[in-house]
Amino acid sequence: MTVPRSTLRLQFHRGFTFDDALAHLEYFAALGISHLYASPVTSAVPGSMHGYDTVDYTQVSAECGGEAALKRLADKLHERGMGLIVDIVPNHMGIAGSGAHNGWWRDILEWGRHSAYARHFDVDWHSPDPALRGKVLLPCLGAPYGEELAAGRIKLRFAADTGRFNIEYGDHVCPVCPIDYAALLQSADRTDLNALAEQFRGLTTQPADQPRAAQACDALREFARQNGATSIDFVLQAYAPEDPVTRDHLHRLLERQHYRLAWWRTAADEVNWRRFFDISTLAAVRVERPEVFEAVHALVFRLYAEGVVDGVRIDHIDGLAEPREYCQRLRQRLSELREGAPYIVVEKILARGEPLRDDWPVDGTTGYDFMNDVGALLHDPRGAEPLASTWAELSGRSAVFADEALVARRKILNENLAAELDRAARALHRVARDNLATRDFTYTSIRRVTGELAAHFPVYRIYPQNGLRSAADNVYFDQALDAARRMLSRADCTVLERVDMWLGSGVDEPAGVREAAAAGSNREATDLRTDLRTDLRTDARTDARTNPRAQHPPQGAATGAFNHAAAARRTVQTLFSQLTAPVAAKAIEDTACYRYGRLISRNEVGADPGEFAISVDQFHASNLERARRYPHAMLVTATHDHKRGEDVRARLAVLSEIADEWSATLRAWSTLNTPQRRAPSGDTTADALTDDWAPGPAAEAMMYQTLVGCWPPDLSADDEAGIAELAERVAQWLLKGLREAKVRTNWFAPDEAFENACRAFLFDILAPQRRDGFLRELCAFVARISRAGVINSLQQTILRLASPGVPDLYQGTELWDFSLVDPDNRRPVDFEKRAAMLAEKPPSEFLADWHDGRVKLAIVQRMLALRTHLPELLSQGAYVPLAVEGAHAERAIAFARRQGNAWAVVIATRLAVPLLSEADADAKAGDRALADIPLVEPARWEDTAVRMPEELFGRAMFDWVSPAAPKVEDNGLLYLRDALTSMPVAVLVEDGVPRT
């Protein structure tokens, strides 16, 4: 296996192509990157800026340059000894435009259940809603169906280039099933069209008839070519939406299709196919089916076999029915294609203490767990309570994040994912009906129970095997079970116990079912599970009481019943897991994190805002565990999904050290800006005495944190153009934040008057006339905490580059990253500027001019050079936590990496505000320039020292990031006043090479 030394994540799209990346390859190589790490390279919806909406798994994105450009990039990478890792998306496909660009989805819309791809997508073809049986809900209309039909916005169109009739609505193009073509062509009452209609007569949706339909469409296309497309206008006129009679014809035609056009707001309640979270333009695929697995990975398998691709990153592993089996199958297939073990990492959100499963044959996660660890380490735990109290007082909301999380989970279950909850509850209800003891459990009671379990589920999901939960699953399932039990009535608790059993407890399960589950092979279990939805929902089985053979099963049916019951339970476990994962993502990351503002530097993907800080010992424990179990996992501090740039979070973490001062500042700024408050319904000034104003206290408090966090280092209160640019960026964040919070406005039903009032407030407080008021105060406060923020930034940078794992660099974050949530964090990157700033000087040379970010770039370059110079030291070396002693022991972290006789000792300053404040006081009468340097004056460390390993006693070590060469005392102490003389971090190296 070729394990990357380091990776650079690049976001490819039509504005940044493979050839654009190739143009910067010299810079990437000089920086020290070993592998480029690409966003999805498959063909996506036209104009996609991220690539996660794949429409064709077999083709490299033409917008990104196509396969030829990708191979040019890979060839040049390999010439330099570098490699390429690609992101793959096995969970879902893009269907924007109702699948106008997605051939698989279009085929489903055209042929329904008899499409060759009907089982590629996770569609419930047997919906309990009669209007959706055998149909796919298309929630794409901007208003109710009747209104859009009457307004003439839904139209029948003919595509002359393909010979196909389509239903068009804006950008949505939906095929008409060819079995309707005969009637369509006859409606024009023309001899030539009647003759064409004969070719379509007698067609059915059966697969055997579909080739004949294609031939007939070819004939229709040829007819249009010879006679002009206008020759078909007679047909279109018979279905014109402008006239009531022909509009009724159009409606009846629509009713015969394998889809139902619907208002977009129906999706949350009625969608009958699995989505990616609650996004109705992303349809989930059934990659657990072998033929779908092969089709989804066709391109990446070929590119890997050809040596173009060197590793893969799996997007949203928790969306899959069987993550374990998927990873096993993927590794096996890749291993068959090429010698050596493939490098595979998975995007997985882990709760504190939740391990990545040992039976997943992967190299680790994509690093959200590390980002959470290092982010929590930056925070002072003493700030947690006072900041929570201030937040509750100002906002009127709970001081406890768990309260917000539970409210958000209930909201998401009831409003955004109600259809997904219904689907899981219906599957459980069918299991209940199969058992005489539970046949009277109602659907409603089962839905209540399922909803409570999902609302209290503490992690993304469980991973049962052969229908039974593991001990690791039960650690988290039992938490949800206990919480649900406390919330439910006694009657519902009876149902809860059975649901617990069906979801894999194994308690009181009939022996035959348990044995059948245990005896089945993984392949058989998968086949049973994936086919069960069809088997269970047939009309014949639903009405089995009318079938004598069903009432009196033949001899030997008992074993089949046991197998059937085992498969049914595995199915409900899958549906439950595919419910809890999106609930967690949407409720926590996309709702509660926008509602809870104690300190938004902890409101990040993969983090729990309720966990404010972790200790140095906890950080060491996580690194030791990572080194032991997944030494090649990715380490990230910024991603394409982050809500705030890594340096925004680092600066905001400083507020945890000055909680009382920040609380007073919040109150003062709110009072100062009271005159700018707006009435929530318009642009009029709000009454200062009212509680109802825009943006409201919660959004206002989070807005001030955002401004403090993202304020550029060199932006002054007098720079009108710079402040205006910043205001636009923050306004974009504000709009997204308000809608994601789902309190006064949301994406489904936006309150534009309220949103505009919030925007007006933001621009008012940042207006030029405030330069001598709020803007001066804001600038002064940012300057007050910036040095401590820089120390935090350099700390998390050095920890990422020296900890066990593969450090990943998100595009552009070599310099300061003060970005906000997407699309702000996906802005174009000036790689030429970064290339020009590369230098062979030690990072300490750039600390005094830290504002330009060059010191951070130099640390990245220097540490990647160390990984090249001593590759085994940081990739395979042991991780050794080192104790810090003395007066300021809590304000430093230290550890060593050891490989043979080679050592690297990492030391970083942390929680530096008190030490910097003392220096500030002294600097008032001295050199103010010195007071701007993000460095604790060496004498301030007093007797603080690192207790070094015995092998290094009495040794002089050379700092990889500065010219310093501090000596370890003979008693094993390395004093920080010697080690941190010119940088707030140090990487002291002993390469193990004997010297004379």
Side-chain angles (χ1 to χ4, degrees):
M1 176 174 64
T2 302
V3 177
R5 289 193 314 274
S6 57
T7 59
L8 172 64
R9 169 70 182 209
L10 295 177
Q11 293 295 118
F12 288 105
H13 48 78
R14 61 186 177 187
F16 186 80
T17 67
F18 305 133
D19 283 332
D20 291 326
L22 181 59
H24 300 297
L25 191 55
E26 295 291 335
Y27 165 64
F28 302 149
L31 188 60
I33 296 298
S34 76
H35 286 66
L36 291 188
Y37 163 31
S39 59
V41 300
T42 46
S43 296
V45 170
S48 174
M49 297 298 288
H50 48 77
Y52 288 98
D53 44 3
T54 301
V55 295
D56 187 345
Y57 281 114
T58 67
Q59 298 294 320
V60 174
S61 168
E63 289 192 341
C64 295
E67 187 167 328
L70 180 66
K71 288 184 173 179
R72 282 195 297 272
L73 175 61
D75 287 344
K76 290 298 182 182
L77 285 168
H78 294 145
E79 285 177 13
R80 288 186 163 275
M82 300 168 72
L84 178 64
I85 296 169
V86 297
D87 201 340
I88 58 178
V89 190
N91 178 66
H92 55 269
M93 296 186 78
I95 57 168
S98 299
H101 311 287
N102 186 325
W104 291 6
W105 188 254
R106 182 180 174 87
D107 200 72
I108 279 184
L109 300 185
E110 189 170 37
W111 295 107
R113 284 178 289 181
H114 293 130
S115 164
Y117 305 100
R119 299 171 78 185
H120 280 47
F121 294 92
D122 206 347
V123 179
D124 182 358
W125 293 106
H126 301 273
S127 170
D129 181 356
L132 282 177
R133 270 188 205 142
K135 293 178 181 284
V136 172
L137 183 73
L138 289 186
C140 61
L141 303 181
Y145 170 79
E147 292 182 18
E148 297 295 76
L149 186 67
R153 286 188 277 271
I154 303 173
K155 300 176 181 179
L156 177 66
R157 290 285 184 258
F158 178 70
D161 58 334
T162 62
R164 304 271 177 161
F165 287 100
N166 297 305
I167 300 296
E168 294 188 6
Y169 173 81
D171 294 333
H172 298 270
V173 181
C174 308
V176 173
C177 184
I179 66 174
D180 286 308
Y181 281 27
L184 287 173
L185 294 169
Q186 287 176 329
S187 66
D189 196 22
R190 288 169 51 96
T191 302
D192 50 357
L193 295 180
N194 287 340
L196 280 171
E198 287 300 317
Q199 298 192 43
F200 292 94
R201 196 175 303 283
L203 278 177
T204 70
T205 58
Q206 294 296 322
D209 275 357
Q210 293 177 25
R212 183 162 73 90
Q215 293 173 356
C217 287
D218 289 341
L220 183 54
R221 181 184 59 195
E222 181 62 20
F223 173 85
R225 187 188 69 79
Q226 294 181 2
N227 297 276
T230 56
S231 59
I232 309 296
D233 285 350
F234 298 103
V235 174
L236 306 183
Q237 290 169 10
Y239 293 85
E242 292 78 14
D243 180 82
V245 174
T246 53
R247 182 165 62 243
D248 184 63
H249 295 165
L250 177 60
H251 166 66
R252 292 177 183 277
L253 174 65
L254 284 165
E255 291 291 275
R256 294 195 297 272
Q257 301 313 302
H258 300 293
Y259 50 85
R260 180 168 77 83
L261 297 180
W263 192 15
W264 64 271
R265 291 185 181 177
T266 64
D269 294 328
E270 296 186 344
V271 69
N272 64 333
W273 43 273
R274 186 165 62 90
R275 303 172 289 175
F276 173 70
F277 297 168
D278 62 348
I279 303 173
S280 297
T281 55
L282 296 175
V285 296
R286 299 174 67 184
V287 75
E288 66 272 14
R289 297 188 60 81
E291 70 275 18
V292 181
F293 177 88
E294 292 297 327
V296 164
H297 298 87
L299 176 65
V300 74
F301 284 164
R302 180 168 61 80
L303 294 176
Y304 186 79
E306 294 173 359
V308 177
V309 169
D310 302 291
V312 294
R313 179 256 198 197
I314 311 303
D315 179 66
H316 189 47
I317 190 76
D318 277 339
L320 308 184
E322 296 286 356
R324 179 177 68 99
E325 285 81 354
Y326 170 83
C327 293
Q328 291 172 344
R329 184 181 294 178
L330 180 67
R331 180 167 289 279
Q332 179 180 348
R333 285 288 284 113
L334 291 174
S335 298
E336 291 170 352
L337 294 171
R338 200 162 108 193
E339 289 187 7
Y343 181 71
I344 304 172
V345 288
V346 295
E347 183 197 37
K348 167 65 182 152
I349 303 297
L350 295 168
R352 175 67 61 200
E354 180 189 9
L356 184 64
R357 300 304 169 102
D358 288 318
D359 53 2
W360 292 11
V362 299
D363 294 289
T365 73
T366 55
Y368 290 120
D369 47 334
F370 179 82
M371 184 163 72
N372 182 31
D373 289 344
V374 74
L377 182 68
L378 300 182
H379 290 71
D380 188 337
R382 288 164 291 206
E385 291 306 318
L387 288 176
S389 178
T390 298
W391 167 251
E393 177 189 337
L394 291 178
S395 68
R397 305 187 72 86
S398 175
V400 180
F401 178 74
D403 295 339
E404 287 285 14
L406 181 58
V407 171
R409 285 174 177 273
R410 294 193 188 283
K411 185 177 183 69
I412 293 300
L413 281 165
N414 291 332
E415 298 179 15
N416 296 66
L417 297 173
E420 286 76 3
L421 174 57
D422 282 344
R423 190 175 184 185
R426 284 199 308 271
L428 284 162
H429 189 226
R430 284 191 294 273
V431 173
R433 286 289 177 89
D434 282 344
N435 190 314
L436 295 180
T438 58
R439 64 183 297 177
D440 288 335
F441 285 2
T442 65
Y443 164 77
T444 304
S445 67
I446 289 175
R447 190 182 191 278
R448 277 197 302 270
V449 164
T450 307
E452 282 299 322
L453 280 173
H456 291 94
F457 217 72
V459 294
Y460 263 48
R461 59 172 288 179
I462 55 174
Y463 307 94
Q465 295 182 32
N466 294 323
L468 298 176
R469 297 195 303 265
S470 66
D473 288 327
N474 283 329
V475 169
Y476 303 103
F477 194 94
D478 288 348
Q479 294 177 37
L481 192 66
D482 292 342
R485 192 177 288 117
R486 289 192 297 270
M487 297 301 298
L488 294 167
S489 68
R490 178 176 294 184
D492 280 347
C493 283
T494 302
V495 179
L496 177 65
E497 297 309 315
R498 283 289 186 159
V499 168
D500 173 31
M501 185 186 76
W502 296 331
L503 291 178
S505 72
V507 177
D508 295 328
E509 190 170 30
V513 174
R514 189 163 56 245
E515 291 164 4
S521 68
N522 288 336
R523 180 65 174 271
E524 291 167 346
T526 298
D527 289 343
L528 282 169
R529 183 184 304 106
T530 55
D531 293 338
L532 186 65
R533 295 178 181 88
T534 299
D535 296 339
L536 286 179
R537 296 168 187 167
T538 59
D539 293 340
R541 190 177 184 284
T542 301
D543 197 21
R545 64 183 181 277
T546 64
N547 184 346
R549 292 178 62 83
Q551 294 178 37
H552 304 284
Q555 186 176 6
T559 300
F562 284 136
N563 286 329
H564 170 80
R569 295 183 188 189
R570 288 193 294 271
T571 295
V572 299
Q573 291 161 13
T574 295
L575 292 176
F576 182 74
S577 296
Q578 290 177 330
L579 170 67
T580 58
V583 167
K586 293 302 298 180
I588 304 303
E589 297 167 19
D590 294 341
T591 304
C593 280
Y594 288 98
R595 293 182 173 191
Y596 184 76
R598 171 172 60 179
L599 195 55
I600 58 177
S601 46
R602 292 298 293 136
N603 297 14
E604 192 50 80
V605 177
D608 174 10
E611 179 190 67
F612 191 76
I614 63 171
S615 67
V616 169
D617 287 343
Q618 287 175 297
F619 181 80
H620 286 323
S622 291
N623 264 356
L624 285 167
E625 182 73 359
R626 192 175 296 109
R628 182 180 71 83
R629 299 181 67 236
Y630 291 103
H632 306 312
M634 278 188 173
L635 309 176
V636 304
T637 49
T639 74
H640 62 285
D641 279 333
H642 68 233
K643 298 189 181 301
R644 288 159 197 90
E646 61 187 30
D647 299 312
V648 175
R649 300 193 306 272
R651 184 189 288 170
L652 286 175
V654 177
L655 302 182
S656 68
E657 301 183 63
I658 55 170
D660 292 338
E661 180 184 346
W662 173 243
S663 297
T665 300
L666 271 179
R667 294 184 179 93
W669 287 355
S670 184
T671 300
L672 179 63
N673 290 323
T674 295
Q676 275 59 253
R677 293 178 179 177
R678 300 301 182 100
S681 58
D683 293 331
T684 57
T685 302
D687 184 342
L689 299 179
T690 184
D691 292 331
D692 191 17
W693 51 276
E700 182 189 28
M702 295 175 81
M703 184 189 303
Y704 292 142
Q705 291 186 53
T706 299
L707 287 170
V708 167
C710 74
W711 193 268
D714 289 325
L715 183 60
S716 73
D718 298 318
D719 185 351
E720 293 186 18
I723 291 174
E725 179 184 356
L726 177 67
E728 286 292 347
R729 289 177 51 217
V730 175
Q732 192 175 48
W733 161 84
L734 178 62
L735 177 62
K736 182 167 186 172
L738 292 170
R739 290 187 176 180
E740 294 285 16
K742 306 172 186 68
V743 177
R744 291 293 300 265
T745 186
N746 56 58
W747 296 106
F748 289 166
D751 184 341
E752 294 183 359
F754 173 72
E755 293 169 355
N756 290 335
C758 294
R759 177 184 171 90
F761 176 84
L762 170 64
F763 277 84
D764 274 353
I765 66 175
L766 297 181
Q769 56 266 37
R770 317 284 175 226
R771 66 167 58 93
D772 293 324
F774 173 66
L775 286 176
R776 292 284 184 210
E777 291 197 16
L778 176 59
C779 285
F781 186 86
V782 171
R784 156 91 170 82
I785 67 170
S786 284
R787 284 185 306 141
V790 170
I791 290 175
N792 279 345
S793 290
L794 299 185
Q795 175 193 355
Q796 72 177 354
T797 300
I798 210 77
L799 293 179
R800 170 167 52 88
L801 293 165
S803 290
V806 177
D808 174 57
L809 182 71
Y810 180 65
Q811 59 177 32
T813 60
E814 311 93 293
L815 299 181
W816 299 132
D817 174 27
F818 293 107
S819 64
L820 299 173
V821 73
D822 65 280
D824 193 60
N825 61 9
R826 302 175 189 178
R827 287 175 294 159
V829 178
D830 188 346
F831 287 116
E832 288 86 355
K833 174 183 177 180
R834 288 158 174 78
M837 297 175 78
L838 288 177
E840 294 303 320
K841 297 179 181 179
S844 56
E845 293 288 320
F846 308 110
L847 187 65
D849 298 320
W850 62 266
H851 293 78
D852 62 7
R854 199 170 184 179
V855 62
K856 183 182 178 185
L857 174 64
I859 285 179
V860 172
Q861 181 185 9
R862 197 78 165 180
M863 289 301 295
L864 294 184
L866 177 59
R867 282 183 166 266
T868 302
H869 177 61
L870 298 173
E872 293 184 352
L873 176 60
L874 293 181
S875 65
Q876 302 175 29
Y879 182 88
V880 183
L882 299 178
V884 182
E885 306 173 358
H888 303 295
E890 67 172 334
R891 306 200 181 278
I893 179 174
F895 61 84
R897 304 297 306 277
R898 179 184 183 179
Q899 178 70 16
N901 293 324
W903 289 84
V905 175
V906 179
I907 306 171
T909 307
R910 63 185 296 267
L911 306 181
V913 168
L915 298 180
L916 293 174
S917 297
E918 293 175 10
D920 283 344
D922 292 346
K924 288 180 179 179
D927 188 347
R928 291 300 303 174
L930 291 177
D932 187 50
I933 297 178
L935 178 69
V936 173
E937 186 179 333
R940 297 291 171 193
W941 286 111
E942 300 179 41
D943 65 341
T944 309
V946 177
R947 176 66 62 181
M948 298 288 278
E950 186 175 352
E951 293 89 335
L952 299 177
F953 282 16
R955 302 290 297 271
M957 302 190 71
F958 299 92
D959 190 2
W960 200 256
V961 298
S962 81
K967 184 177 184 296
V968 182
E969 300 291 330
D970 291 338
N971 62 1
L973 292 180
L974 175 65
Y975 289 98
L976 297 196
R977 62 176 180 253
D978 299 327
L980 301 179
T981 57
S982 57
M983 284 287 285
V985 296
V987 181
L988 308 176
V989 175
E990 170 57 69
D991 61 13
V993 177
R995 293 180 173 84
T996 58

